[in-house]
Amino acid sequence: MDIVSESLSLSRFSSENMMSYGLVFFASLVIFFISQIIQFYLGAYNFTTMYISFCAGFILFIPLVSLVLHPLLLNKEGKRETFQFRDLLANIGLVCVVQFLCFLIWITDAIVLYSLYVDQNSFLAKAFDIKTQARGDMTFEFYCFNFVLALLFSFLSIIVGILPCLIARLDNFGVVGNFVAAFSFAKKQKVMLCFYALLIASSVLLPLLYAEYLFLVIFPVVLVWVFTRLNEAYLLSPISKK
């Protein structure tokens, strides 16, 4: 009886894992299709340079995407606890609203920056009534700025998005306590988190800009790898409940 129960349990976990991987790929597919639509219309209106800003903005959705990876979490005994996807659906609406608002705020700022430093004569500059002295073509600086900002978005997404949710599943110190624990963990592991942020930012920007179809492979693989490494690092940290 115990063997049958254990077998069913392993089957359930396997099914949850496959569903989790499938949802990560589906989320990557959605981001990819959105990026292609945006790229097409930006090209049609001769705003191709702005595409990198939208790619950087996609990183803000990573905390939302990472929610589907919770079935992969290992507890302190090295086992996976039962995860109900209805728990995900119960909170996904609010997370979507917050993430979408952050994305809109960033894109609005990106339009202003583009109008100021890349094309001062675009209809965007006229629409937003942005008047500035001509500064010449600063496309390279605009790309560099967006890449640095993508790194910042990745770092913040890990600290205030992925880690608090991960900690809530493993220890649950309360809403405020989870964020405090996430910041404490980040303070002790800042070098590691900077490396993970670089990986995430690169997995989004580089494929979408230079090898778009590779995004469907590179992004989910990197995100799953980073998530599992964060899980392992947190369990080994003194912050985790013993």
Side-chain angles (χ1 to χ4, degrees):
M1 188 68 179
D2 292 337
I3 296 176
V4 174
S5 178
E6 184 178 354
S7 177
L8 289 174
S9 178
L10 290 174
S11 176
R12 182 176 65 251
F13 288 139
S14 176
S15 176
E16 290 177 352
N17 292 348
M18 294 304 295
M19 185 176 293
S20 184
Y21 292 133
L23 287 174
V24 172
F25 180 77
F26 176 75
S28 304
L29 201 61
V30 170
I31 293 174
F32 175 77
F33 278 123
I34 293 174
S35 71
Q36 294 307 293
I37 292 171
I38 290 173
Q39 187 180 40
F40 173 79
Y41 281 104
L42 288 177
Y45 289 98
N46 198 26
F47 292 132
T48 307
T49 305
M50 274 200 66
Y51 181 58
I52 188 174
S53 294
F54 285 89
C55 294
F58 290 144
I59 296 174
L60 292 171
F61 291 96
I62 285 178
L64 175 63
V65 177
S66 68
L67 291 177
V68 303
L69 296 176
H70 281 209
L72 304 179
L73 283 175
L74 295 177
N75 59 24
K76 296 175 180 62
E77 289 75 34
K79 300 177 181 178
R80 293 193 174 103
E81 298 178 353
T82 302
F83 181 85
Q84 300 294 335
F85 275 93
R86 61 173 175 267
D87 297 335
L88 168 66
L89 296 176
N91 299 308
I92 200 169
L94 179 60
V95 176
C96 281
V97 171
V98 174
Q99 296 290 304
F100 186 69
L101 288 176
C102 291
F103 183 75
L104 283 181
I105 292 171
W106 158 236
I107 289 302
T108 302
D109 292 340
I111 290 173
V112 173
L113 289 171
Y114 176 87
S115 301
L116 283 172
Y117 297 107
V118 179
D119 189 356
Q120 296 89 8
N121 297 316
S122 67
F123 79 83
L124 288 174
K126 297 176 182 178
F128 282 83
D129 195 25
I130 299 174
K131 299 178 181 179
T132 181
Q133 294 180 349
R135 292 180 171 84
D137 188 358
M138 300 184 71
T139 302
F140 176 76
E141 289 80 358
F142 185 72
Y143 269 78
C144 291
F145 173 79
N146 277 279
F147 189 80
V148 172
L149 204 59
L151 288 175
L152 178 61
F153 285 165
S154 298
F155 191 71
L156 291 177
S157 294
I158 292 173
I159 297 175
V160 302
I162 297 177
L163 279 174
C165 294
L166 183 150
I167 293 171
R169 286 287 301 172
L170 296 176
D171 285 325
N172 196 9
F173 297 105
V175 176
V176 176
N178 292 334
F179 279 96
V180 172
F183 279 102
S184 298
F185 178 81
K187 185 177 180 181
K188 297 178 182 297
Q189 304 288 344
K190 50 183 174 291
V191 175
M192 179 186 73
L193 295 187
C194 286
F195 173 66
Y196 290 165
L198 177 62
L199 285 180
I200 291 175
S202 300
S203 72
V204 175
L205 291 186
L206 297 182
L208 287 179
L209 289 173
Y210 304 111
E212 51 193 23
Y213 291 105
L214 286 180
F215 172 81
L216 296 174
V217 176
I218 295 175
F219 173 68
V221 169
V222 169
L223 185 59
V224 170
W225 186 84
V226 169
F227 186 82
T228 54
R229 296 289 82 78
L230 287 173
N231 182 193
E232 294 173 0
Y234 174 74
L235 291 176
L236 295 174
S237 72
I239 300 172
S240 177
K241 288 181 180 178
K242 303 301 181 183

